[in-house]
Amino acid sequence: MKKIATLKTSEVTDLLKSIKTSLGVKTFYDYSNYLSISPYNDILLVKTYPTNSVCEFALECENLDTEFKEVTVSAETFINMLLSMTSEAINIFIEEENGSKNVVVKGDGTFVFATVEVITVPNIHMKQEAEERILTTEQIRNILTFNKSVVDSEYALDIKQKQYYFTKDNCFTFSSGACSTPLTFEDDFDLILSNDVINLFKIFNDNVDKVFITIGYDDEDQKTIIANCDDISFITHVAISDSLKDIIPINAIRERLEKEYDTYFDISVKSFLSTLNRIKLINKEQGLPVVLIKVNSDSIEVSDVNEASAKEIVSCTGAFDEEYSMKLELNQLYNIINSYSTDTIRIAYGDDTAILITDEEKTIRNIMPESRLI
């Protein structure tokens, strides 16, 4: 049995969690159940293979055997075992006996993992690169929170509504409504990414300040994206054709997202959600999907759409004296508001078509149509 590396448990925990996250990205390929480990310079390189992609994680280690050849094991059990370790160090060995090869892990105990000898995994190389760009951790978090909630909603029904549209200034998604989160690219940028690709960005943990992205083409001229920070990276194909943007109303969506309303009110997120929760109980019993909101000068009145079984008054600020009523799809409204982490939100209204929901900084913008269901 030959030792190939020693990991300091406290130093690799965050990376091990990122590896586990990569295993949870939706995929239909058998190779996603495996991971590979190999030496690379002075680090232990771990690769996973979600959704026709390759994720790489550079683990700092001691006693690295730079001569051992790459080995592949069943991924989930292996990573869960490493994450469960409470010992100060984790020692990894390769054991060869009677023609078989095992990876042996020693920490709190001794655990043996059979290697997989024959497996075909993605092998993606970028041959033609464009300029490198930067996404901050906050921008990635906003996309995964706000834009993704639109794509994952029950209202996103066709392929156009399952994509993320990147420009120089924002990332936007749309279904019955739309969401825009801010970006700060220095030059013109136009890119469409699928939900599977966006899910890969979950592997970058909160300790990462920024992620570098590069768009290019692989050896078969397929559009390809690389995203990387110091010790985490992925490479994958951009499976969506740019021609998709020719069949969606991009300009109309942008115009709606950028519209400024003259009338609005500011309201506590906690208070509003609490009220909507109680209205949801009544609506569920009555089978009604819509909530009625009446805006007054210093409060809003929230009720079931028939104004028969539930009614609450919630204080707000900034509202205009002229009363305004709107019908909104309750679950959609609740999910949008629940995605904000700020204490208050601003709801702008007044055109009888849609409302605009923003955070305190007015940077995260959600458009929601007024309901015509009832």
Side-chain angles (χ1 to χ4, degrees), residues 8-22 57-59 79 82-83 202-208 231-232:
K8 295 293 185 181
T9 306
S10 60
E11 296 176 3
V12 298
T13 298
D14 285 341
L15 271 180
L16 293 177
K17 290 178 180 178
S18 291
I19 296 171
K20 183 174 180 177
T21 298
S22 75
F57 306 86
L59 298 180
I79 287 300
L82 294 186
L83 279 169
K202 294 178 181 178
I203 68 177
F204 298 102
N205 55 57
D206 289 339
N207 294 328
V208 175
D231 46 18
I232 302 173

Side-chain angles (χ1 to χ4, degrees), residues 221-234:
D221 290 324
Q222 292 190 64
K223 183 176 282 190
T224 302
I225 181 172
I226 294 175
N228 67 282
C229 62
D230 290 339
D231 46 18
I232 302 173
S233 70
F234 72 75

Side-chain angles (χ1 to χ4, degrees), residues 145-162:
T145 300
F146 296 98
N147 293 110
K148 187 170 173 57
S149 67
V150 174
V151 170
D152 289 344
S153 75
E154 61 186 288
Y155 309 99
L157 300 177
D158 64 40
I159 189 172
K160 299 187 301 294
Q161 298 170 329
K162 295 289 186 181

Side-chain angles (χ1 to χ4, degrees), residues 51-300:
T51 320
N52 199 28
S53 312
V54 180
C55 298
E56 295 187 347
F57 306 86
L59 298 180
E60 297 286 345
C61 64
E62 299 177 355
N63 306 316
L64 179 67
D65 178 2
T66 58
E67 301 297 324
F68 85 90
K69 297 185 181 299
E70 182 178 79
V71 291
T72 302
V73 297
S74 178
E76 187 173 0
T77 305
F78 184 78
I79 287 300
N80 284 336
M81 183 61 69
L82 294 186
L83 279 169
S84 73
M85 296 290 186
T86 60
S87 56
E88 182 177 340
I90 302 170
N91 292 295
I92 302 176
F93 302 81
I94 289 181
E95 177 184 61
E96 297 187 63
E97 187 175 0
N98 298 326
S100 64
K101 183 184 293 185
N102 298 315
V103 175
V104 180
V105 175
K106 292 188 176 183
D108 298 273
T110 301
F111 307 92
V112 180
F113 300 87
T115 62
V116 180
E117 296 297 333
V118 180
I119 181 173
T120 302
V121 299
N123 188 20
I124 309 172
H125 298 282
M126 185 179 289
K127 67 173 184 178
Q128 177 184 343
E129 298 183 2
E131 184 177 347
E132 188 176 67
R133 291 174 172 84
I134 294 175
L135 282 174
T136 67
T137 303
E138 181 181 7
Q139 290 167 343
I140 293 172
R141 190 184 303 116
N142 286 339
I143 292 168
L144 289 172
T145 300
F146 296 98
N147 293 110
K148 187 170 173 57
S149 67
V150 174
V151 170
D152 289 344
S153 75
E154 61 186 288
Y155 309 99
L157 300 177
D158 64 40
I159 189 172
K160 299 187 301 294
Q161 298 170 329
K162 295 289 186 181
Q163 314 307 318
Y164 299 73
Y165 300 86
F166 287 79
T167 68
K168 173 184 175 182
D169 300 313
N170 56 51
C171 171
F172 74 87
T173 47
F174 75 98
S175 56
S176 60
C179 176
S180 171
T181 56
L183 300 175
T184 53
F185 296 135
E186 294 182 355
D187 53 0
D188 290 340
F189 188 64
D190 194 9
L191 178 69
I192 303 174
L193 294 180
S194 69
N195 205 22
D196 282 339
V197 176
I198 292 298
N199 281 333
L200 290 171
F201 282 93
K202 294 178 181 178
I203 68 177
F204 298 102
N205 55 57
D206 289 339
N207 294 328
V208 175
D209 292 327
K210 55 189 175 182
V211 174
F212 299 91
I213 61 171
T214 305
I215 309 296
Y217 293 87
D218 70 358
D219 296 332
E220 298 179 356
D221 290 324
Q222 292 190 64
K223 183 176 282 190
T224 302
I225 181 172
I226 294 175
N228 67 282
C229 62
D230 290 339
D231 46 18
I232 302 173
S233 70
F234 72 75
I235 182 170
T236 189
H237 290 129
V238 179
I240 301 300
S241 170
D242 288 340
S243 63
L244 191 63
K245 61 179 177 286
D246 297 330
I247 58 174
I248 66 168
I250 290 181
N251 291 332
I253 294 170
R254 286 177 180 163
E255 182 179 338
R256 174 62 71 175
L257 283 165
E258 294 169 2
K259 179 177 179 178
E260 296 296 339
Y261 291 73
D262 294 328
T263 49
Y264 58 84
F265 61 86
D266 299 325
I267 192 167
S268 161
V269 170
K270 182 178 180 180
S271 297
F272 202 8
L273 287 176
S274 182
T275 294
L276 292 177
N277 257 324
R278 288 185 286 272
I279 301 297
K280 284 173 72 174
L281 295 175
I282 297 298
N283 274 23
K284 182 178 181 181
E285 183 177 275
Q286 297 180 346
L288 297 174
V290 176
V291 65
L292 175 64
I293 297 177
K294 293 182 178 180
V295 185
N296 301 300
S297 60
D298 60 357
S299 64
I300 61 170

